[in-house]
Amino acid sequence: MNIQVEKTALVLIDLQNGILSRNCAPYTAEEIIERAKALVEAFTEKGGFVVLVRVSSLDGKDMLQPITDAPAAQATGYPEGWDQIVPELAELPGTYTLTKRQWGAFHGTDLDVQLRRRGIDTIVLGGVSAGIGVDMTAREAFQLGYNQFFAEDVMGAADKEMHDYVRANIFPRIGRVRSSADIISYL
């Protein structure tokens, strides 16, 4: 299997200080960062487009606030730098950083425009949380007609059950689930 780098983007969701400092399962934050870095380096070495997506808020009023049964995390009161991409990835050259204000990376951002202007029809997706930000972005990408690869070992969730559920039940229905090593070999 081959991936056409010129038509594929690597999109990494919420690999930022305040999110990766929380519990990650089934892989540790360190494992996710290490594999993400290898993917970024492989993509940029081949001239691929890499998008580092972070969630942030100016004052909490720019975030979605629907009425729900489960309380939403507050977008204010986080420590300084919580919304910054982890240094291991932020310092890598040739990446595009995108800020989102909700779970998915497409709605309310210029991600679709950036991809289409580059002729990209396929995305490789990873990040945290597999069952929230990655899942929502994947569903949005599916609705927009993108082909997808899921770098399963570059994802984490609050618990193993959430990660395993989307990996086994959602992602195979909207794309191809592979290891980061397999994806790198396809480049």
Side-chain angles (χ1 to χ4, degrees):
M1 179 175 296
N2 288 324
I3 292 177
Q4 293 180 292
V5 178
E6 66 278 359
K7 296 180 67 92
T8 305
L10 173 61
V11 179
L12 297 173
I13 306 296
D14 298 344
L15 297 182
Q16 62 193 67
N17 294 327
I19 303 236
L20 285 174
S21 65
R22 301 177 190 166
N23 185 47
C24 275
Y27 306 108
T28 66
E30 292 77 21
E31 291 171 316
I32 292 167
I33 292 167
E34 179 182 325
R35 293 180 190 129
K37 185 175 180 182
L39 276 172
V40 171
E41 290 170 342
F43 263 82
T44 55
E45 177 182 300
K46 304 270 187 191
F49 187 54
V50 177
V51 182
L52 304 175
V53 180
R54 69 186 190 120
V55 64
S56 186
S57 176
L58 175 65
D59 58 6
K61 295 177 184 175
D62 52 356
M63 305 287 278
L64 296 173
Q65 299 181 26
I67 298 169
T68 63
D69 285 334
Q74 295 298 329
T76 59
Y78 286 111
E80 182 71 30
W82 76 273
D83 58 351
Q84 299 304 302
I85 301 293
V86 293
E88 297 90 336
L89 300 176
E91 60 196 31
L92 296 175
T95 62
Y96 178 72
T97 300
L98 177 118
T99 300
K100 64 184 177 85
R101 311 282 184 203
Q102 62 285 322
W103 288 2
F106 282 95
H107 179 75
T109 74
D110 71 341
L111 181 56
D112 188 47
V113 170
Q114 292 296 331
L115 299 178
R116 294 194 190 279
R117 287 183 180 172
R118 289 171 169 79
I120 291 169
D121 64 10
T122 303
I123 63 172
V124 172
L125 199 55
V128 177
S129 171
I132 299 176
V134 178
D135 181 32
M136 181 66 76
T137 300
R139 291 174 191 238
E140 291 172 336
F142 175 75
Q143 295 286 31
L144 291 167
Y146 287 97
N147 299 307
Q148 298 181 83
F149 285 91
F150 299 98
E152 181 274 334
D153 58 350
V154 183
M155 292 185 202
D159 57 55
K160 184 178 182 313
E161 290 75 26
M162 182 182 285
H163 175 275
D164 289 350
Y165 178 81
V166 293
R167 186 204 150 297
N169 297 291
I170 304 300
F171 297 155
R173 298 175 133 198
I174 59 178
R176 292 171 276 189
V177 179
R178 301 292 187 271
S179 71
S180 57
D182 283 344
I183 291 168
I184 290 170
S185 76
Y186 300 159
L187 299 176

